[in-house]
Amino acid sequence: MRTEGHHDLRHHGDAEVRDDGSALVDLAVNVRADTPPPWLRERIAGSLGSLAAYPDGRAARAAVAARHGLPVERVLLTAGAAEAFVLLARALKVRRPVVVHPQFTEPEAALRDAGHTVDRVLLRAEDGFRLDPAAVPGDADLVVVGNPTNPTSVLHPASSLAELARPGRTLVVDEAFMDAVPGEREALAGRTDVPGLVVLRSLTKTWGLAGLRIGYVLAAPETIAELERAQPLWPVSTPALAAAEACVEPRALAEAAHAAHRITADRAHLVAGLREFTSAGLRLTEPAEGPFVLVRLPGAAAVRGRLRELGFAVRRGDTFPGLDEEWLRLAVRDRATADSFLRALERALVPTQG
């Protein structure tokens, strides 16, 4: 159990492709390529005629509730999942929050900003970053875990996560990448039988809406009411509400399911190519189940720099608690992009002599 660390919790993959990185092939950000699709852009554009009116989230909230088979009182729309982390940190009265790492760092950053002392449960590489529910302290009254987890790409069994639930504890499961998992197996979204469960979903990753900021929380009505009281007025814009409604329609769910299968195939192709570098010391975290892969590589920081020179941006891993400078996260892209990257990686692994 650890409470301190020197990781940059505010570093995110977009930093790799800003400014001088804007022309690089992006394997650093986990937003699906070639999105949003034209039909979604049209729906968002169609909402612009309503900008003079204040946002009305009722239809979008009802659509999200219907998508998960829940009453609207169990749904809260947010400006991306990141806003939900801030609301949880500020609104819930907790004494001992615990974050399971390595994972997305924003939940811990939000808790610290709200004045909380945060304990960490660090999952180990030698265990495949698998969750042992017994590792979480029994007196933790807030537990945050990702599924599938960013950056490890581990998909924890829903049964293991449900084991963490107990009276008096809020169990926050970040499912921002769950719609990239075929069949959303191991999802807890829509479950009402797990006490204290809070599920976060993002619509920005699969649909390429990071610039629009849209996500939602699924939880018991009393928890939703607490979080809603902490929100500013009209937190979700009219275009974001239009996107939310569109992205949970049957057509969109079918497209997302198709994309999940394509991601699975593209990831298998990338993983097969990466295995060719095991003789160079590369180690994969497997099985990967998200739209990204975590690898360990001696001299990873130098390799990342050489990859940039060769036109590719990848995500450094040392900003995640539990990882160090030997880790890199690679977003899954189409096969042609993966093949180009693998050729660049081969070159990057052979430092220039002279």
Side-chain angles (χ1 to χ4, degrees):
M1 179 66 55
R2 291 175 51 189
T3 58
E4 297 299 328
H6 301 290
H7 298 81
D8 180 3
L9 301 180
R10 294 295 190 189
H11 180 89
H12 300 298
D14 62 316
E16 311 281 356
V17 290
R18 288 200 300 258
D19 302 327
D20 64 336
S22 60
L24 300 178
V25 177
D26 178 12
L27 275 73
V29 177
N30 289 327
V31 173
R32 197 177 109 211
D34 302 320
T35 51
W39 64 264
L40 181 53
R41 288 200 298 268
E42 289 171 10
R43 286 286 290 273
I44 295 168
S47 72
L48 299 183
S50 304
L51 292 186
Y54 285 95
D56 183 348
R58 289 177 296 177
R61 189 177 186 181
V64 170
R67 181 253 194 271
H68 291 287
L70 295 171
V72 293
E73 294 80 12
R74 284 182 167 268
V75 175
L76 182 67
L77 302 177
T78 59
E83 188 206 2
F85 292 126
V86 172
L87 296 176
L88 288 163
R90 293 179 179 176
L92 300 186
K93 297 173 179 61
V94 296
R95 299 178 311 280
R96 191 179 184 190
V98 170
V99 179
V100 179
H101 285 290
Q103 78 148 334
F104 185 51
T105 53
E106 204 59 35
E108 179 172 327
L111 285 162
R112 290 184 180 278
D113 287 348
H116 297 285
T117 298
V118 182
D119 285 336
R120 296 173 177 171
V121 170
L122 298 181
L123 306 183
R124 305 189 313 160
E126 49 266 44
D127 299 328
F129 298 109
R130 298 277 150 193
L131 172 67
D132 176 6
V136 176
D139 63 345
D141 56 357
L142 175 70
V143 178
V144 185
V145 61
N147 204 37
T149 303
N150 170 22
T152 63
S153 208
V154 169
L155 183 66
H156 302 293
S159 57
S160 295
L161 297 178
E163 275 187 55
L164 293 173
R166 60 195 60 198
R169 171 182 289 177
T170 300
L171 172 61
V172 179
V173 182
D174 177 8
E175 292 188 350
F177 295 99
M178 186 60 79
D179 57 359
V181 177
E184 296 195 359
R185 65 187 193 283
E186 313 304 344
L188 289 174
R191 293 273 296 269
T192 58
D193 60 323
V194 181
L197 177 65
V198 176
V199 174
L200 307 184
R201 285 287 181 109
S202 170
L203 295 172
T204 64
K205 311 298 191 298
T206 286
W207 297 108
L209 298 174
L212 195 62
R213 312 308 307 141
I214 179 65
Y216 54 88
V217 182
L218 307 175
E222 56 271 23
T223 301
I224 294 295
E226 279 189 85
L227 299 179
E228 193 168 18
R229 281 194 293 271
Q231 271 188 318
L233 291 172
W234 309 291
V236 181
S237 70
T238 295
L241 292 171
E245 195 170 353
C247 289
V248 295
E249 291 174 352
R251 165 189 175 174
L253 296 179
E255 184 174 322
H258 177 76
H261 286 286
R262 187 173 69 248
I263 288 166
T264 299
D266 289 343
R267 184 181 59 237
H269 181 77
L270 174 62
V271 165
L274 290 170
R275 287 198 186 110
E276 298 297 316
F277 297 102
T278 54
S279 60
L282 185 146
R283 296 292 180 266
L284 284 151
T285 301
E286 295 190 84
E289 301 282 3
F292 44 88
V293 177
L294 183 68
V295 301
R296 189 169 198 168
L297 187 64
V303 171
R304 184 171 68 91
R306 289 194 287 272
L307 284 168
R308 290 182 74 84
E309 294 171 4
L310 294 167
F312 289 87
V314 299
R315 172 67 157 89
R316 57 190 281 203
D318 61 317
T319 63
F320 293 100
L323 303 182
D324 59 26
E325 66 278 355
E326 290 199 337
W327 295 91
L328 298 173
R329 191 192 69 196
L330 314 172
V332 173
R333 300 293 186 234
D334 63 89
R335 294 186 181 207
T337 302
D339 288 341
S340 296
F341 167 74
L342 291 166
R343 288 192 294 270
L345 179 60
E346 185 173 22
R347 294 177 59 191
L349 289 171
V350 183
T352 302
Q353 304 296 316

